[in-house]
Amino acid sequence: MSQSLDQIFIHGKQWLLSFLSGHAPNWLIQIASSLLNIAMLLGVFLTLFALMSVLERKILGRMQNRYGPNRVGPFGLFQPIADGIKMLIKEDVVPARADKIVHFLAPIVIAAAAILALGVIPYGRNMTPFVIDGGILFFFAVGSTTELAVFMAGWGSNNKFSMLGAMRAIAQMISYELPLIITVLPVVMVVGSLNPDKIVAAQKYYYFGFAPHWFVLTPWGFTAFLLFFVSGLVESNRTPFDVPEGESEIVAGHMTEYSGFKYATFFLAEYLGMFAVSGLAVTLFLGGWHAPFPFLAFIPSYVWFFVKLSILLFVFIWVRGTLPRVRVDQMMNFAWKFMLPMAFTCVVSAAVWHYAGHRLTGWLWSLAVIVAVYFMLSLFLDSRKKFAPRTYRFAE
């Protein structure tokens, strides 16, 4: 029954392509198939973006004991429409000495990279928009163009604050992209493939008939998942790692000279990037579209994917509403002195687990490797000796 429900969204596409097969050449059919995939991606994730833009403000409002948007439409659900209209009719101000072409192309490039990254994630059974053998490699290759787009925004604005913000953003994105990629290597090593569909298929089994065979339930997988998630926070420029947009220091970073729909495009790209990183985390560590228990397999596969995706997005919002912004030096030290060594440790731990035959002994040895390295790093990076005791003085 689940497989039949999974076909609801792809019957229309199959019908259209079968109609074209008798009336059009193969190259036109391939183009039509790609355009349909992109249209479906945009339809789903633009709707999710609109929903997230209002739900995030409502959730943060509840966390901070205040109201979120509640005026426009029932329960404030039409707020995204009002925001979109506002962004469309706002004046597009471009600095007089800015590089007009680069300034215009930067938001387009960053949004296109996020959309392409979404195209290789399996959202359900037979629901991968673009099936590529090296899909994981494609994801990171496309995602790395974000740094170029950020640099284009800073350079093209011809503004010192924009340029400083762009340099700060590129520094943190490159620093955290290394642990982001390295934490993917254990999964690729264990599965033996860069194909996201095969990675999801490797997690379809159940221990003892009920416990999910997800990589996050192994010591190396749980550690890699945490490192991947933190790196995804940084790559998305989300609080507490939104250092390039420190209002008290460099205004809005590389977006300082953007307004109107161009600014909205940057905002859209940030959310699409958040969706892409969370979707890849679900694919790599949380079993993809598989149900957590076998007796729940009757629920359509895409429902399980978006349930897991929604949980990760809620954690993104939760972290934003809880933690303050970190200093840039603390963030960079954390990347190079802790995140990177722990990411390499996950590779070694996964190798130990794999060559021990995925048994309990391998699980324990894998855990021992993680704990040993974490303990050594905690001693090496002990920051208490770097700061003198703080004293407080109060007026009498």
Side-chain angles (χ1 to χ4, degrees):
M1 179 175 178
S2 174
Q3 295 188 21
S4 62
L5 289 173
D6 288 337
Q7 302 299 318
I8 292 176
F9 289 120
I10 59 177
H11 276 322
K13 175 185 171 182
Q14 291 177 343
W15 177 85
L16 181 59
L17 293 179
S18 62
F19 173 78
L20 289 175
S21 61
H23 304 81
N26 289 334
W27 61 269
L28 185 58
I29 297 173
Q30 293 176 357
I31 293 176
S33 177
S34 300
L35 290 176
L36 281 172
N37 286 331
I38 294 174
M40 292 173 65
L41 271 179
L42 289 177
V44 171
F45 283 100
L46 286 180
T47 303
L48 186 59
F49 163 67
L51 188 61
M52 276 293 298
S53 66
V54 64
L55 285 181
E56 178 169 12
R57 285 178 282 178
K58 286 180 134 339
I59 294 171
L60 290 175
R62 292 298 178 182
M63 288 180 177
Q64 299 165 355
N65 197 24
R66 60 180 175 81
Y67 289 108
N70 61 353
R71 300 295 184 188
V72 186
F75 306 104
L77 293 178
F78 292 165
Q79 187 65 43
I81 300 175
D83 292 338
I85 294 173
K86 180 185 73 173
M87 288 296 182
L88 283 171
I89 63 177
K90 284 186 71 173
E91 182 182 3
D92 180 23
V93 180
V94 181
R97 297 187 179 183
D99 190 322
K100 304 293 192 299
I101 297 177
V102 176
H103 186 273
F104 174 78
L105 289 178
I108 298 176
V109 172
I110 196 169
I115 294 169
L116 288 174
L118 288 168
V120 296
I121 298 175
Y123 300 103
R125 186 180 287 104
N126 301 321
M127 290 185 184
T128 307
F130 303 102
V131 180
I132 305 174
D133 287 336
I136 302 297
L137 188 62
F138 176 84
F139 182 96
F140 288 109
V142 170
S144 63
T145 59
T146 303
E147 286 90 332
L148 174 63
V150 170
F151 179 75
M152 290 170 62
W155 178 266
S157 298
N158 195 19
N159 178 294
K160 292 181 179 179
F161 290 105
S162 298
M163 194 62 193
L164 286 172
M167 290 295 97
R168 203 184 250 195
I170 293 170
Q172 81 170 45
M173 292 169 77
I174 291 177
S175 299
Y176 279 87
E177 198 162 314
L178 290 173
L180 187 74
I181 295 174
I182 294 171
T183 50
V184 175
L185 291 181
V187 177
V188 174
M189 287 168 46
V190 170
V191 178
S193 175
L194 286 165
N195 189 325
D197 291 284
K198 292 183 179 179
I199 292 174
V200 173
Q203 303 176 74
K204 68 180 180 180
Y205 306 103
Y206 295 92
Y207 292 115
F208 311 111
F210 68 92
H213 185 270
W214 298 351
F215 293 136
V216 74
L217 299 178
T218 61
W220 60 268
F222 181 74
T223 307
F225 171 71
L226 291 180
L227 296 175
F228 185 92
F229 187 79
V230 173
S231 300
L233 275 173
V234 181
E235 290 290 310
S236 303
N237 284 335
R238 298 281 297 182
T239 306
F241 301 108
D242 57 338
V243 174
E245 302 172 26
E247 295 89 349
S248 60
E249 304 166 42
I250 46 179
V251 203
H254 57 280
M255 297 183 290
T256 300
E257 296 295 348
Y258 282 89
S259 60
F261 196 70
K262 292 178 183 176
Y263 181 84
T265 305
F266 274 108
F267 192 63
L268 169 66
E270 177 183 317
Y271 274 81
L272 291 180
M274 188 168 65
F275 299 155
V277 170
S278 300
L280 187 62
V282 171
T283 300
L284 294 172
F285 303 105
L286 300 178
W289 44 263
H290 290 295
F293 301 105
F295 61 85
L296 295 175
F298 69 92
I299 299 175
S301 58
Y302 53 85
V303 172
W304 284 118
F305 179 88
F306 282 100
V307 166
K308 298 173 186 178
L309 181 69
S310 301
I311 293 173
L312 292 185
L313 294 177
F314 174 76
V315 177
F316 269 85
I317 299 171
W318 191 359
V319 170
R320 178 182 177 182
T322 306
L323 300 178
R325 181 183 291 124
V326 301
R327 292 203 319 258
V328 63
D329 62 314
Q330 294 172 334
M331 184 179 63
M332 300 301 284
N333 283 334
F334 186 65
W336 293 100
K337 295 181 180 179
F338 180 79
M339 296 283 289
L340 197 58
M342 286 302 298
F344 281 114
T345 304
C346 290
V347 177
V348 177
S349 179
V352 171
W353 178 82
H354 180 67
Y355 286 109
H358 304 187
R359 294 189 297 270
L360 179 61
T361 54
W363 199 95
L364 294 175
W365 276 111
S366 175
L367 178 63
V369 172
I370 297 289
V371 171
V373 175
Y374 178 81
F375 181 73
M376 287 189 292
L377 286 175
S378 64
L379 293 177
F380 179 71
L381 300 176
D382 186 8
S383 59
R384 289 176 294 180
K385 59 188 177 182
K386 299 180 183 178
F387 301 99
R390 181 177 295 179
T391 58
Y392 296 92
R393 297 179 181 179
F394 301 95
E396 296 181 357

